[in-house]
Amino acid sequence: MATGGRGAVVAMAAGSTLSSASVTLFLLLVLPRVSQAQTFFFSFRQPETCGHNQYFDISALSCVACGSNQRQDARGTSCVCLPGFQMISNNGGPDITCKKCPEHMKGVTEDGWNCISCPGGLTAEGKCHCPTGHILVERNVNGTLLSQATCELCDESENSFTVANALGNRCVRCEPAFINTSKSCACSEPNILTGGLCLSSTGNFPLRMISTARYGELGISFTSEWFAKYLQSAAAACWVYGNLTSCQALGNMCVMNMNYYDSSTFDACGLFQFIFENTAALGTVHSVSFWRQNLPWLFYGDQLGLAPQILSTTPLPTNFSFKGENQQSTKLKFIAASYDVRGNFLKWQTLEGGILQLCPDTETRLNAAYSFGTTYQQSCEIPVPKILTDFPTPTFYDVYLEYTDENQHQYIWAVPVLNLNLQHKKMFVNKDSSSGKWLLTRRIFLVDTLSGRENDLGSQPRLIRVATQISLSIHLVPNTKNGNIYPPLITIAYHDIDIKDPSSQSVKVSFSVTYEMDQGEAHVQTDIALGVLGGLAVLSSLLKTAGWKRRIGSPMIDLQALQFLHKLISQITIDIFFIDWERPKGKVLKAVEGEGGVRSATVPVSIWRTYFVANEWNEIQTVRKINPLFQVLTVLFLLEVVGFKNLALMDSSSSLSRSPPSYIAPYSRILRYAVSSALWLVIGLIQIVFFAVFYERFIEDKIRQFVDLCCMSNISVFLLSHRCFGYYIHGRSVHGHADTNMEEMNMNLKREAENLCSQRGLVPNTDGQTFQIAISSQMRQHYDRIHETLTRKNGPARLLSSSGSTFEQSVKAYHTMNKFLGSFIDHVHKEMDYFIKDKLLLERILGMEFMEPMEKSIFYNDEGYSFSSVLYYGNEATLLIYDLMFFCVVDLACQNFILAAFLTYLQQEIFRFIRNAVGQKNLASKTLVDQRFLI
């Protein structure tokens, strides 16, 4: 049992039937128990804190003593033998055994397993030491250990040209630069030794080189340690030997200096330009005149006007589309040739996966930048310590766009770069708005923490340079529907950061992809459309002005307010009078005050019918063909819940939904306006059609009901929207009286239904009850004289008659107006008569009257109930467009549909309240109806 351990426990439990209590007791006795006093913490140790004779145990995470005759190895996680001791056994890690070497063989072989006699002294590690130029030999060619090591001198003569390698264990051939220059393995004067190369002082290569790193944004220049060490050697190797890696390294240094070129100095770009100009005989690469053999392609040349030719002359010979199964046509496949700072080619790599995007994100969102038609924006803030850690040396990229032709052959197109930090003749030419002054380049990098190191490449940089803005512009070819594009353009801006306190510094970076198109033709077409429509608008305005001038009866033309405000003001300032046709039904005895007697008087006509009609008029003033609340909520529901707002995103998708992991493109203001406008108009039109086709026919038509109410109440409505123009609703009862009991009213309605009485129309044997009226100036003047008395109650007391109170004067004026208008309708006043006619078709279309009422007023038959034009009902189009414009303007300002919907509904309710309140007061003042009865 004791030797079986836990396995025996399992076997016993499986092979026997012990009781649960026995098993529990057995497990408690055999299995390890956790002591109540046991703790789960220990001291924290770093490997570098271990002593000289200790190593860091990577399992126990603590320092452990090495064995006898041992010490810590270079990594600190194992042990090695002390100098003068050989290894006897090594089982890996710290498990080694050491033995002291005998006195006559104090040296230890390089591998540490044997003792050997040395020809000279010993190193600090106890190994044999050889003089400079010699190599240590410890074994024969067949591997047999020598009893005594030897130091062999490498042959530097012309026959061999060999020197000891860096490890001192092998003779290797000297560098070709030494042999070619000095015919030996030494670079003696007057030759120049730089960067491991031996250069001749008699060549035509410029020797006075400037190792300056330029930071134009901060106006700082200083000697870069990287340039000081490697600029001269890289330039010399490129120039003398055509070394491809050195040429790339030289080009990298020029790019690190923002492609700054000054013909008077030999800095990185000056040396590159010198080699470029003096190697024309080598020819070009791929027939590109800016790409010299052996050299990287850095510039497009410095000729003015070259950039527009490169960017907008030759389209790419391939097509792209928003949708399709072929990924070649829906994805922009950018690839880059990448190089390290020493000029070594790293690999071809696609830009997908965030190669040029410093901001971290999911791969799906990062790759969305290269979906054709997707406007992409990404920005973030990165701490400087993270930049220093992630980018110890810069990586350089030459970007190309890969495409496939009709024959499925693959090609790449070089993508030009607009470096906003580039200086030409000490001017930032690439920041100019004119592309004719731009100087395009090719190679880019993201972060440079290397050239800003002054004295030691291992020290913290004084300055770093970060690509804070990278923008990829796709220019669409105009007048094509095949998805053709011009060569893309990478616009890049670098920010120079002075490193003072890295832990508290950060930098904001951004990456974007935009799509552009030449709008010249669209602007021309827009100008033409605006010119034509503007001319039509002027003509329409002149016609409306002419019609309006006639309606107000004035030869003067003054400025008119905005259409909506004009409609609102017009509706609350109209002249309206309710003509009561009811006549007294006999006489009654009435007591005479002050006389103590009685006398007969006519039965007074009830005012309640007039109050009732006036109240109904007040109620229909803000009746609309749409429900404003339903309109706002429906549009908001479609935009926010259904997802129609996603159609305004600047991407190629037409889906109404977006998955959370996917990239959400920014909104286009134009598309946002178009989508919201379309939805608003569609919902509004649907409501209007529903109201006209269904609601008014089968449920309620308040406009026609008001006309019927006037007829049942024996009251006509005389309404003047302009001085000499207005509307007339003929409500004279065909039964003579409307103030009757229920039995008589039902009898009257039955007679009317059975056509046993005359028709309701103003003209006998017609049904026409609504008219547009154009009254003569004489009629208007007579109307104003009577109406003036009605409004005198608000004037000074001295203007009132002394024979009665203000109210009595108003009542008298009311009866006078009622009698005058009634007699006018009955053609009593021959000098102010009128005639009835139909409007011409053109008059209906233009909304104006060709005839001017000179001697007689004109009543135009109006079957369309156009008196509703002084109500909200007749101005639904204006109100709908006004609400739409208000909604869109608020949304464009705040980019929030919910806030726009709330403010739109709020302003609707405010204007409706103002319209009702002011309309009630105006109605009460002009009709003698007490405002308290208007609800």
Side-chain angles (χ1 to χ4, degrees), residues 844-897:
R844 295 177 183 270
I845 295 175
L846 297 179
M848 61 179 298
E849 299 77 36
F850 294 158
M851 292 183 61
E852 188 170 356
M854 301 300 293
E855 296 180 357
K856 290 186 177 183
S857 300
I858 306 174
F859 277 45
Y860 295 98
N861 289 312
D862 179 23
E863 298 176 356
Y865 299 94
S866 60
F867 70 88
S868 62
S869 62
V870 299
L871 308 172
Y872 271 15
Y873 182 93
N875 296 277
E876 189 58 61
T878 301
L879 295 171
L880 184 67
I881 294 175
Y882 174 79
D883 291 341
L884 165 63
M885 297 305 297
F886 187 92
F887 178 86
C888 291
V889 168
V890 174
D891 175 66
L892 291 177
C894 63
Q895 295 286 287
N896 190 319
F897 285 125

Short mmCIF file of all heavy atoms in Angstrom, two decimals, residues 844-897:
data_model
loop_
_atom_site.label_atom_id
_atom_site.label_comp_id
_atom_site.label_asym_id
_atom_site.label_seq_id
_atom_site.Cartn_x
_atom_site.Cartn_y
_atom_site.Cartn_z
N ARG A 844 -56.03 79.11 -63.10
CA ARG A 844 -55.94 78.11 -62.04
C ARG A 844 -54.51 77.62 -61.86
O ARG A 844 -54.03 77.42 -60.74
CB ARG A 844 -56.86 76.93 -62.36
CG ARG A 844 -58.34 77.27 -62.37
CD ARG A 844 -59.16 76.05 -62.78
NE ARG A 844 -60.58 76.38 -62.87
CZ ARG A 844 -61.43 76.27 -61.86
NH1 ARG A 844 -60.98 75.88 -60.68
NH2 ARG A 844 -62.71 76.57 -62.02
N ILE A 845 -53.83 77.43 -63.02
CA ILE A 845 -52.45 76.92 -62.95
C ILE A 845 -51.53 77.94 -62.31
O ILE A 845 -50.71 77.60 -61.44
CB ILE A 845 -51.96 76.54 -64.37
CG1 ILE A 845 -52.79 75.36 -64.92
CG2 ILE A 845 -50.47 76.20 -64.34
CD1 ILE A 845 -52.46 75.01 -66.35
N LEU A 846 -51.64 79.19 -62.72
CA LEU A 846 -50.75 80.23 -62.21
C LEU A 846 -51.16 80.76 -60.86
O LEU A 846 -50.37 81.42 -60.18
CB LEU A 846 -50.68 81.40 -63.21
CG LEU A 846 -50.11 81.07 -64.59
CD1 LEU A 846 -50.14 82.31 -65.48
CD2 LEU A 846 -48.69 80.53 -64.48
N GLY A 847 -52.41 80.46 -60.44
CA GLY A 847 -52.87 80.94 -59.14
C GLY A 847 -53.04 82.45 -59.10
O GLY A 847 -52.72 83.07 -58.09
N MET A 848 -53.51 83.03 -60.17
CA MET A 848 -53.71 84.47 -60.21
C MET A 848 -54.94 84.78 -61.06
O MET A 848 -55.52 83.87 -61.68
CB MET A 848 -52.49 85.19 -60.78
CG MET A 848 -52.14 84.80 -62.21
SD MET A 848 -50.72 85.68 -62.87
CE MET A 848 -51.29 87.36 -62.82
N GLU A 849 -55.37 86.04 -61.10
CA GLU A 849 -56.54 86.47 -61.85
C GLU A 849 -56.10 87.47 -62.91
O GLU A 849 -55.36 88.41 -62.63
CB GLU A 849 -57.58 87.11 -60.91
CG GLU A 849 -58.09 86.19 -59.82
CD GLU A 849 -57.10 86.02 -58.69
OE1 GLU A 849 -56.41 87.01 -58.35
OE2 GLU A 849 -56.99 84.90 -58.16
N PHE A 850 -56.56 87.22 -64.13
CA PHE A 850 -56.21 88.14 -65.22
C PHE A 850 -57.08 89.40 -65.21
O PHE A 850 -56.63 90.46 -65.60
CB PHE A 850 -56.37 87.43 -66.57
CG PHE A 850 -55.39 86.29 -66.76
CD1 PHE A 850 -55.65 85.27 -67.66
CD2 PHE A 850 -54.21 86.23 -66.01
CE1 PHE A 850 -54.76 84.23 -67.84
CE2 PHE A 850 -53.31 85.19 -66.19
CZ PHE A 850 -53.60 84.19 -67.10
N MET A 851 -58.36 89.25 -64.81
CA MET A 851 -59.28 90.39 -64.80
C MET A 851 -59.14 91.15 -63.49
O MET A 851 -59.03 90.55 -62.41
CB MET A 851 -60.73 89.93 -64.97
CG MET A 851 -61.06 89.35 -66.33
SD MET A 851 -62.81 88.92 -66.47
CE MET A 851 -63.57 90.52 -66.24
N GLU A 852 -59.12 92.44 -63.57
CA GLU A 852 -59.05 93.27 -62.39
C GLU A 852 -60.45 93.84 -62.11
O GLU A 852 -61.07 94.42 -63.01
CB GLU A 852 -58.05 94.39 -62.59
CG GLU A 852 -57.78 95.20 -61.33
CD GLU A 852 -56.61 96.15 -61.50
OE1 GLU A 852 -55.98 96.12 -62.58
OE2 GLU A 852 -56.35 96.92 -60.56
N PRO A 853 -60.97 93.67 -60.89
CA PRO A 853 -62.33 94.16 -60.59
C PRO A 853 -62.35 95.69 -60.53
O PRO A 853 -61.90 96.28 -59.54
CB PRO A 853 -62.63 93.52 -59.22
CG PRO A 853 -61.28 93.32 -58.61
CD PRO A 853 -60.34 93.03 -59.73
N MET A 854 -62.88 96.28 -61.57
CA MET A 854 -62.90 97.75 -61.61
C MET A 854 -64.21 98.29 -61.04
O MET A 854 -64.24 98.91 -59.99
CB MET A 854 -62.69 98.21 -63.06
CG MET A 854 -61.37 97.72 -63.66
SD MET A 854 -59.93 98.31 -62.75
CE MET A 854 -60.02 100.05 -63.10
N GLU A 855 -65.32 98.05 -61.78
CA GLU A 855 -66.62 98.56 -61.34
C GLU A 855 -67.39 97.51 -60.55
O GLU A 855 -68.14 97.85 -59.63
CB GLU A 855 -67.44 98.99 -62.56
CG GLU A 855 -66.82 100.16 -63.32
CD GLU A 855 -67.67 100.56 -64.51
OE1 GLU A 855 -68.69 99.87 -64.75
OE2 GLU A 855 -67.32 101.55 -65.19
N LYS A 856 -67.23 96.26 -60.93
CA LYS A 856 -67.93 95.19 -60.25
C LYS A 856 -66.93 94.19 -59.66
O LYS A 856 -65.87 93.96 -60.22
CB LYS A 856 -68.87 94.45 -61.22
CG LYS A 856 -70.07 95.26 -61.68
CD LYS A 856 -71.01 94.39 -62.51
CE LYS A 856 -72.25 95.17 -62.92
NZ LYS A 856 -73.20 94.34 -63.67
N SER A 857 -67.34 93.63 -58.56
CA SER A 857 -66.53 92.56 -57.96
C SER A 857 -66.78 91.27 -58.75
O SER A 857 -67.76 91.13 -59.47
CB SER A 857 -66.91 92.36 -56.50
OG SER A 857 -66.69 93.54 -55.75
N ILE A 858 -65.85 90.33 -58.59
CA ILE A 858 -65.93 89.08 -59.33
C ILE A 858 -65.94 87.93 -58.34
O ILE A 858 -65.07 87.84 -57.45
CB ILE A 858 -64.74 88.93 -60.30
CG1 ILE A 858 -64.63 90.15 -61.21
CG2 ILE A 858 -64.88 87.65 -61.12
CD1 ILE A 858 -63.39 90.14 -62.09
N PHE A 859 -66.90 87.02 -58.49
CA PHE A 859 -66.95 85.78 -57.71
C PHE A 859 -66.57 84.63 -58.65
O PHE A 859 -67.25 84.40 -59.65
CB PHE A 859 -68.35 85.56 -57.14
CG PHE A 859 -68.62 86.30 -55.87
CD1 PHE A 859 -68.25 87.63 -55.72
CD2 PHE A 859 -69.26 85.68 -54.80
CE1 PHE A 859 -68.50 88.32 -54.55
CE2 PHE A 859 -69.53 86.38 -53.63
CZ PHE A 859 -69.14 87.70 -53.49
N TYR A 860 -65.47 83.93 -58.30
CA TYR A 860 -65.03 82.79 -59.10
C TYR A 860 -65.52 81.50 -58.45
O TYR A 860 -65.32 81.29 -57.25
CB TYR A 860 -63.50 82.74 -59.19
CG TYR A 860 -62.90 83.91 -59.94
CD1 TYR A 860 -62.38 85.01 -59.24
CD2 TYR A 860 -62.82 83.91 -61.32
CE1 TYR A 860 -61.81 86.07 -59.91
CE2 TYR A 860 -62.24 84.98 -62.00
CZ TYR A 860 -61.75 86.06 -61.28
OH TYR A 860 -61.19 87.11 -61.96
N ASN A 861 -66.18 80.67 -59.26
CA ASN A 861 -66.62 79.37 -58.74
C ASN A 861 -65.41 78.58 -58.25
O ASN A 861 -64.37 78.49 -58.91
CB ASN A 861 -67.34 78.58 -59.83
CG ASN A 861 -68.70 79.18 -60.15
OD1 ASN A 861 -69.48 79.48 -59.24
ND2 ASN A 861 -68.98 79.37 -61.44
N ASP A 862 -65.56 77.98 -57.10
CA ASP A 862 -64.43 77.30 -56.46
C ASP A 862 -64.90 75.97 -55.89
O ASP A 862 -65.42 75.92 -54.77
CB ASP A 862 -63.82 78.18 -55.37
CG ASP A 862 -62.67 77.51 -54.67
OD1 ASP A 862 -62.05 76.60 -55.27
OD2 ASP A 862 -62.37 77.87 -53.51
N GLU A 863 -64.74 74.90 -56.68
CA GLU A 863 -65.16 73.59 -56.22
C GLU A 863 -64.07 72.90 -55.39
O GLU A 863 -64.32 71.85 -54.83
CB GLU A 863 -65.52 72.71 -57.41
CG GLU A 863 -66.70 73.25 -58.23
CD GLU A 863 -66.97 72.41 -59.46
OE1 GLU A 863 -66.18 71.45 -59.69
OE2 GLU A 863 -67.95 72.68 -60.18
N GLY A 864 -62.90 73.49 -55.34
CA GLY A 864 -61.79 72.86 -54.63
C GLY A 864 -61.62 73.34 -53.21
O GLY A 864 -60.59 73.02 -52.58
N TYR A 865 -62.59 74.13 -52.71
CA TYR A 865 -62.50 74.63 -51.33
C TYR A 865 -61.17 75.31 -51.06
O TYR A 865 -60.48 75.04 -50.07
CB TYR A 865 -62.69 73.49 -50.32
CG TYR A 865 -64.03 72.80 -50.43
CD1 TYR A 865 -64.20 71.66 -51.20
CD2 TYR A 865 -65.14 73.32 -49.78
CE1 TYR A 865 -65.44 71.04 -51.31
CE2 TYR A 865 -66.39 72.71 -49.87
CZ TYR A 865 -66.53 71.57 -50.65
OH TYR A 865 -67.77 70.97 -50.76
N SER A 866 -60.79 76.22 -51.96
CA SER A 866 -59.48 76.86 -51.85
C SER A 866 -59.41 77.84 -50.69
O SER A 866 -58.35 78.38 -50.41
CB SER A 866 -59.15 77.59 -53.15
OG SER A 866 -60.11 78.58 -53.44
N PHE A 867 -60.53 78.07 -49.99
CA PHE A 867 -60.44 78.93 -48.80
C PHE A 867 -59.54 78.29 -47.74
O PHE A 867 -59.10 78.95 -46.80
CB PHE A 867 -61.84 79.19 -48.23
CG PHE A 867 -62.49 77.98 -47.60
CD1 PHE A 867 -62.28 77.69 -46.25
CD2 PHE A 867 -63.31 77.16 -48.34
CE1 PHE A 867 -62.88 76.59 -45.67
CE2 PHE A 867 -63.92 76.05 -47.77
CZ PHE A 867 -63.70 75.76 -46.43
N SER A 868 -59.27 76.98 -47.93
CA SER A 868 -58.38 76.30 -46.98
C SER A 868 -56.94 76.81 -47.09
O SER A 868 -56.10 76.47 -46.25
CB SER A 868 -58.40 74.78 -47.21
OG SER A 868 -57.93 74.47 -48.51
N SER A 869 -56.64 77.63 -48.11
CA SER A 869 -55.28 78.18 -48.24
C SER A 869 -54.94 79.14 -47.11
O SER A 869 -53.78 79.47 -46.90
CB SER A 869 -55.12 78.88 -49.60
OG SER A 869 -56.01 79.97 -49.70
N VAL A 870 -55.97 79.63 -46.38
CA VAL A 870 -55.68 80.48 -45.23
C VAL A 870 -55.58 79.63 -43.95
O VAL A 870 -55.44 80.18 -42.86
CB VAL A 870 -56.77 81.56 -45.06
CG1 VAL A 870 -56.82 82.45 -46.28
CG2 VAL A 870 -58.13 80.93 -44.78
N LEU A 871 -55.67 78.30 -44.13
CA LEU A 871 -55.53 77.38 -43.01
C LEU A 871 -54.27 76.54 -43.21
O LEU A 871 -53.68 76.51 -44.29
CB LEU A 871 -56.75 76.45 -42.92
CG LEU A 871 -58.13 77.10 -42.91
CD1 LEU A 871 -59.22 76.04 -43.02
CD2 LEU A 871 -58.31 77.93 -41.65
N TYR A 872 -53.87 75.83 -42.18
CA TYR A 872 -52.78 74.87 -42.32
C TYR A 872 -53.12 73.83 -43.38
O TYR A 872 -52.24 73.35 -44.10
CB TYR A 872 -52.53 74.16 -40.98
CG TYR A 872 -51.54 74.87 -40.07
CD1 TYR A 872 -51.16 76.19 -40.31
CD2 TYR A 872 -50.99 74.22 -38.98
CE1 TYR A 872 -50.27 76.83 -39.48
CE2 TYR A 872 -50.09 74.86 -38.13
CZ TYR A 872 -49.74 76.16 -38.39
OH TYR A 872 -48.85 76.79 -37.58
N TYR A 873 -54.40 73.48 -43.46
CA TYR A 873 -54.84 72.42 -44.36
C TYR A 873 -54.42 72.69 -45.81
O TYR A 873 -54.00 71.78 -46.51
CB TYR A 873 -56.37 72.28 -44.25
CG TYR A 873 -56.96 71.18 -45.09
CD1 TYR A 873 -57.17 69.92 -44.55
CD2 TYR A 873 -57.35 71.42 -46.40
CE1 TYR A 873 -57.73 68.91 -45.32
CE2 TYR A 873 -57.91 70.41 -47.17
CZ TYR A 873 -58.09 69.16 -46.63
OH TYR A 873 -58.64 68.16 -47.39
N GLY A 874 -54.55 73.90 -46.23
CA GLY A 874 -54.25 74.23 -47.63
C GLY A 874 -52.79 74.53 -47.88
O GLY A 874 -52.43 74.87 -49.02
N ASN A 875 -51.95 74.46 -46.87
CA ASN A 875 -50.53 74.77 -47.02
C ASN A 875 -49.67 73.60 -46.55
O ASN A 875 -48.58 73.79 -46.02
CB ASN A 875 -50.17 76.03 -46.21
CG ASN A 875 -50.88 77.26 -46.73
OD1 ASN A 875 -50.45 77.89 -47.68
ND2 ASN A 875 -51.99 77.59 -46.08
N GLU A 876 -50.18 72.39 -46.76
CA GLU A 876 -49.47 71.21 -46.27
C GLU A 876 -48.10 71.06 -46.92
O GLU A 876 -47.13 70.66 -46.27
CB GLU A 876 -50.30 69.96 -46.52
CG GLU A 876 -49.76 68.70 -45.88
CD GLU A 876 -49.61 68.85 -44.38
OE1 GLU A 876 -50.62 69.07 -43.70
OE2 GLU A 876 -48.47 68.73 -43.88
N ALA A 877 -48.00 71.37 -48.21
CA ALA A 877 -46.70 71.23 -48.89
C ALA A 877 -45.66 72.16 -48.27
O ALA A 877 -44.51 71.75 -48.02
CB ALA A 877 -46.86 71.53 -50.39
N THR A 878 -46.06 73.42 -48.03
CA THR A 878 -45.13 74.36 -47.40
C THR A 878 -44.73 73.91 -46.00
O THR A 878 -43.55 73.95 -45.63
CB THR A 878 -45.78 75.75 -47.34
OG1 THR A 878 -46.12 76.18 -48.66
CG2 THR A 878 -44.82 76.76 -46.71
N LEU A 879 -45.71 73.45 -45.22
CA LEU A 879 -45.41 73.00 -43.86
C LEU A 879 -44.53 71.76 -43.87
O LEU A 879 -43.61 71.63 -43.06
CB LEU A 879 -46.72 72.71 -43.12
CG LEU A 879 -47.63 73.92 -42.87
CD1 LEU A 879 -48.96 73.45 -42.32
CD2 LEU A 879 -46.97 74.89 -41.90
N LEU A 880 -44.83 70.83 -44.79
CA LEU A 880 -44.04 69.60 -44.88
C LEU A 880 -42.59 69.90 -45.23
O LEU A 880 -41.65 69.35 -44.63
CB LEU A 880 -44.66 68.66 -45.92
CG LEU A 880 -44.02 67.28 -46.05
CD1 LEU A 880 -44.26 66.46 -44.80
CD2 LEU A 880 -44.57 66.54 -47.28
N ILE A 881 -42.40 70.78 -46.20
CA ILE A 881 -41.03 71.13 -46.60
C ILE A 881 -40.33 71.91 -45.50
O ILE A 881 -39.13 71.72 -45.25
CB ILE A 881 -41.06 71.93 -47.92
CG1 ILE A 881 -41.57 71.03 -49.06
CG2 ILE A 881 -39.69 72.50 -48.25
CD1 ILE A 881 -41.76 71.76 -50.37
N TYR A 882 -41.06 72.80 -44.82
CA TYR A 882 -40.43 73.55 -43.73
C TYR A 882 -39.98 72.60 -42.61
O TYR A 882 -38.85 72.71 -42.11
CB TYR A 882 -41.41 74.58 -43.17
CG TYR A 882 -40.87 75.28 -41.95
CD1 TYR A 882 -39.94 76.31 -42.06
CD2 TYR A 882 -41.25 74.89 -40.67
CE1 TYR A 882 -39.43 76.94 -40.94
CE2 TYR A 882 -40.76 75.51 -39.54
CZ TYR A 882 -39.84 76.55 -39.68
OH TYR A 882 -39.33 77.15 -38.57
N ASP A 883 -40.85 71.66 -42.23
CA ASP A 883 -40.48 70.69 -41.20
C ASP A 883 -39.29 69.85 -41.65
O ASP A 883 -38.38 69.55 -40.85
CB ASP A 883 -41.65 69.78 -40.87
CG ASP A 883 -42.78 70.52 -40.15
OD1 ASP A 883 -42.50 71.60 -39.61
OD2 ASP A 883 -43.91 70.03 -40.16
N LEU A 884 -39.30 69.47 -42.93
CA LEU A 884 -38.18 68.69 -43.47
C LEU A 884 -36.88 69.48 -43.38
O LEU A 884 -35.84 68.95 -42.94
CB LEU A 884 -38.48 68.31 -44.92
CG LEU A 884 -37.30 67.80 -45.75
CD1 LEU A 884 -36.75 66.51 -45.15
CD2 LEU A 884 -37.71 67.58 -47.20
N MET A 885 -36.90 70.73 -43.80
CA MET A 885 -35.69 71.55 -43.78
C MET A 885 -35.21 71.77 -42.35
O MET A 885 -34.00 71.73 -42.07
CB MET A 885 -35.94 72.88 -44.47
CG MET A 885 -36.27 72.77 -45.95
SD MET A 885 -35.01 71.87 -46.89
CE MET A 885 -33.60 72.94 -46.67
N PHE A 886 -36.13 71.99 -41.44
CA PHE A 886 -35.74 72.18 -40.04
C PHE A 886 -35.09 70.91 -39.50
O PHE A 886 -34.04 70.96 -38.85
CB PHE A 886 -36.98 72.53 -39.20
CG PHE A 886 -36.67 72.91 -37.78
CD1 PHE A 886 -36.45 74.22 -37.43
CD2 PHE A 886 -36.58 71.93 -36.79
CE1 PHE A 886 -36.15 74.58 -36.12
CE2 PHE A 886 -36.29 72.26 -35.48
CZ PHE A 886 -36.07 73.60 -35.15
N PHE A 887 -35.69 69.76 -39.78
CA PHE A 887 -35.14 68.48 -39.33
C PHE A 887 -33.74 68.27 -39.91
O PHE A 887 -32.81 67.87 -39.18
CB PHE A 887 -36.08 67.36 -39.76
CG PHE A 887 -35.61 65.98 -39.41
CD1 PHE A 887 -35.87 65.44 -38.16
CD2 PHE A 887 -34.89 65.22 -40.33
CE1 PHE A 887 -35.44 64.16 -37.83
CE2 PHE A 887 -34.45 63.95 -40.00
CZ PHE A 887 -34.72 63.42 -38.76
N CYS A 888 -33.57 68.52 -41.19
CA CYS A 888 -32.28 68.27 -41.84
C CYS A 888 -31.20 69.25 -41.37
O CYS A 888 -30.05 68.85 -41.17
CB CYS A 888 -32.43 68.35 -43.36
SG CYS A 888 -33.41 67.00 -44.07
N VAL A 889 -31.57 70.50 -41.19
CA VAL A 889 -30.59 71.49 -40.73
C VAL A 889 -30.10 71.15 -39.33
O VAL A 889 -28.89 71.20 -39.04
CB VAL A 889 -31.19 72.91 -40.77
CG1 VAL A 889 -30.30 73.89 -40.03
CG2 VAL A 889 -31.36 73.36 -42.21
N VAL A 890 -31.01 70.76 -38.45
CA VAL A 890 -30.60 70.38 -37.09
C VAL A 890 -29.71 69.15 -37.13
O VAL A 890 -28.68 69.08 -36.44
CB VAL A 890 -31.83 70.13 -36.20
CG1 VAL A 890 -31.40 69.59 -34.84
CG2 VAL A 890 -32.61 71.42 -36.03
N ASP A 891 -30.06 68.17 -37.97
CA ASP A 891 -29.25 66.96 -38.05
C ASP A 891 -27.88 67.24 -38.64
O ASP A 891 -26.88 66.69 -38.17
CB ASP A 891 -29.98 65.91 -38.88
CG ASP A 891 -29.15 64.67 -39.09
OD1 ASP A 891 -28.87 63.97 -38.10
OD2 ASP A 891 -28.73 64.41 -40.23
N LEU A 892 -27.82 68.07 -39.67
CA LEU A 892 -26.51 68.41 -40.26
C LEU A 892 -25.62 69.13 -39.26
O LEU A 892 -24.40 69.00 -39.29
CB LEU A 892 -26.71 69.26 -41.51
CG LEU A 892 -27.33 68.55 -42.72
CD1 LEU A 892 -27.53 69.54 -43.86
CD2 LEU A 892 -26.46 67.39 -43.18
N ALA A 893 -26.25 69.88 -38.36
CA ALA A 893 -25.47 70.64 -37.38
C ALA A 893 -24.96 69.75 -36.26
O ALA A 893 -23.83 69.90 -35.80
CB ALA A 893 -26.29 71.79 -36.81
N CYS A 894 -25.80 68.81 -35.80
CA CYS A 894 -25.43 68.01 -34.63
C CYS A 894 -25.21 66.54 -34.93
O CYS A 894 -24.79 65.79 -34.04
CB CYS A 894 -26.47 68.15 -33.53
SG CYS A 894 -28.11 67.54 -34.01
N GLN A 895 -25.52 66.10 -36.17
CA GLN A 895 -25.35 64.70 -36.56
C GLN A 895 -26.08 63.75 -35.59
O GLN A 895 -25.53 62.75 -35.14
CB GLN A 895 -23.87 64.35 -36.63
CG GLN A 895 -23.10 65.09 -37.71
CD GLN A 895 -23.41 64.57 -39.10
OE1 GLN A 895 -22.98 63.50 -39.49
NE2 GLN A 895 -24.16 65.36 -39.85
N ASN A 896 -27.33 64.12 -35.27
CA ASN A 896 -28.10 63.32 -34.33
C ASN A 896 -29.56 63.35 -34.76
O ASN A 896 -30.24 64.38 -34.63
CB ASN A 896 -27.93 63.86 -32.91
CG ASN A 896 -28.51 62.94 -31.86
OD1 ASN A 896 -29.58 62.37 -32.03
ND2 ASN A 896 -27.81 62.79 -30.75
N PHE A 897 -30.06 62.22 -35.27
CA PHE A 897 -31.44 62.16 -35.74
C PHE A 897 -32.43 62.29 -34.59
O PHE A 897 -33.50 62.87 -34.76
CB PHE A 897 -31.69 60.85 -36.48
CG PHE A 897 -31.08 60.80 -37.85
CD1 PHE A 897 -30.22 59.78 -38.21
CD2 PHE A 897 -31.36 61.77 -38.79
CE1 PHE A 897 -29.66 59.72 -39.47
CE2 PHE A 897 -30.81 61.74 -40.06
CZ PHE A 897 -29.95 60.70 -40.40
#
